[in-house]
Structure formats: structure tokens, C-alpha cells
Amino acid sequence: MSKVYFYYSAMNAGKSTVLLQSSYNYRERGMHTLLFVPAIDTRAGVGRIQSRIGLGAEAMALQPTENLFDHVKAAHAAQPVACVLIDEAQFLTRAQVEQLTDVSDRLGIPVLCYGLRTDFQGQLFTGSAALLALADNLIELKTICHCGRKATMNLRVGPDGRAVKEGAQVEIGGNERYVAMCRRHYKDALAQA
């Protein structure tokens, strides 16, 4: 039985690296994988998954209105798909997550989603909320705060390095814009902003 997996964490836990390694493992055994990344994430270029340690791969850039089930079904008809992998899954819509459950349930293809659980204000992203509700397996990937504790929060920082309390939920960025922290140090940083 195929399942939908949600690998979640704070920033800088190696989600993209794990995704790329998983795809490599399938491909090394002669199996075909499909990689998707929301088109909104253009840090490495449109339709590209790139890890901080230098691994990268081409992926299908996914718009919010696109139907994942239809994409996978068509690709699977052309060449059997062994696994579907989604980077930055927090940016999926609820409908797209439901479509991924159909990929697993109706097509029998495992789906591995990787993304953030919460935004810089500690609020769930739409895609993450849907995955937390609908995925068969929830797996936390861990990273650490500067104090050594497990980081669970994503602090957004401005150009001056100070915490940002308000703004749009989605602002694409990497280490220059976000810092993974434990809840205590996240609260301390917000109190000093």
C-alpha cells in the first residue's frame, strides 16, 4: 500500500538534501521518479531543487492551479513512476494535497513531501496544514538552534539582522532572511524587535 509522507522541519534541516537523496536511491535502481517544486520558489531558478550542500535536480515548476494527480497520471501512463517527490510542500494548496492522496490511493504511487510546518509567525502554511491532516506518515527532520536545542521556529530577519514581526506569510528567502531557532530564543528575538 502506497502512502503520503510529510517530512517537515524548521529551516536548514536538510529537507531538500533528503529529497534529492531519496530520488537518487530510486533512480539508481532503475526506477523513474517525478520531482515537483512550487513555481513560487525561484531561489535556484524556476523548476529547480537545490540543497545548501550543493546537490540539485530539475523539477516540474508547479502553479497553484495545476492538478498534481493529472500530471502524475499522464507521466505514469508514459513511463511507470515509482515515487513522487515534492519540495517546499508548504506552498501547495489544500486541493493539491488532496490530489496527492489520490496519487497514493488510486495510482498506488508513494508520495514524499518535504516542507516547513510553520511560517515566521508560528502559523501553519496551507499546504502544511493539509499534509498534517491527510498524510499517512509524519516525520520530523531536526535541526538545531544556536543554543544547541532543537529548532522548531523560523525567525524572519531584516537586513539589519533583527527579527521581523509582521509581513506577508510568504517571502522567499534562505539563510539571509530566516534563522531556525528553538521556541525560547525565537520569543526572545521577537521581544527585542
Side-chain angles (χ1 to χ4, degrees):
M1 178 181 133
S2 295
K3 295 181 179 181
V4 175
Y5 299 84
F6 182 35
Y7 294 85
Y8 66 91
S9 71
M11 298 280 294
N12 300 327
K15 295 176 296 295
S16 297
T17 302
V18 174
L19 179 152
L20 293 166
Q21 180 66 52
S22 296
S23 180
Y24 176 82
N25 291 346
Y26 276 97
R27 290 174 184 241
E28 186 177 43
R29 288 161 184 81
M31 298 179 198
H32 180 59
T33 60
L34 288 181
L35 279 63
F36 293 93
V37 63
I40 191 171
D41 185 1
T42 59
R43 288 175 293 166
V46 176
R48 180 143 184 91
I49 298 170
Q50 186 73 41
S51 72
R52 290 184 327 281
I53 65 169
L55 301 175
E58 296 304 313
M60 179 177 284
L62 189 65
Q63 297 294 335
T65 56
E66 289 185 86
N67 187 307
L68 275 161
F69 180 79
D70 290 345
H71 278 301
V72 176
K73 184 177 178 184
H76 190 55
Q79 178 181 4
V81 174
C83 186
V84 172
L85 300 103
I86 315 280
D87 200 24
E88 304 296 345
Q90 70 270 10
F91 298 135
L92 296 175
T93 66
R94 169 78 186 206
Q96 287 172 325
V97 171
E98 290 171 356
Q99 293 156 14
L100 291 173
T101 65
D102 288 337
V103 167
S104 173
D105 298 342
R106 294 174 47 200
L107 300 179
I109 300 170
V111 177
L112 284 61
C113 299
Y114 298 81
L116 300 174
R117 183 181 60 172
T118 58
D119 66 14
F120 77 107
Q121 294 178 319
Q123 300 297 315
L124 291 171
F125 285 98
T126 300
S128 302
L131 284 162
L132 288 167
L134 298 173
D136 299 294
N137 286 58
L138 304 173
I139 303 100
E140 183 179 21
L141 299 176
K142 295 177 178 73
T143 190
I144 58 169
C145 180
H146 65 270
C147 70
R149 288 191 201 112
K150 181 174 82 170
T152 58
M153 307 301 291
N154 301 302
L155 181 74
R156 183 182 288 172
V157 296
D160 60 359
R162 294 177 56 87
V164 174
K165 292 182 178 181
E166 297 178 355
Q169 182 181 45
V170 176
E171 187 174 309
I172 304 299
N175 292 344
E176 80 290 347
R177 201 69 179 122
Y178 295 94
V179 180
M181 292 185 166
C182 68
R183 186 176 55 238
R184 177 182 159 207
H185 284 110
Y186 169 83
K187 288 179 179 180
D188 289 350
L190 289 177
Q192 295 172 10

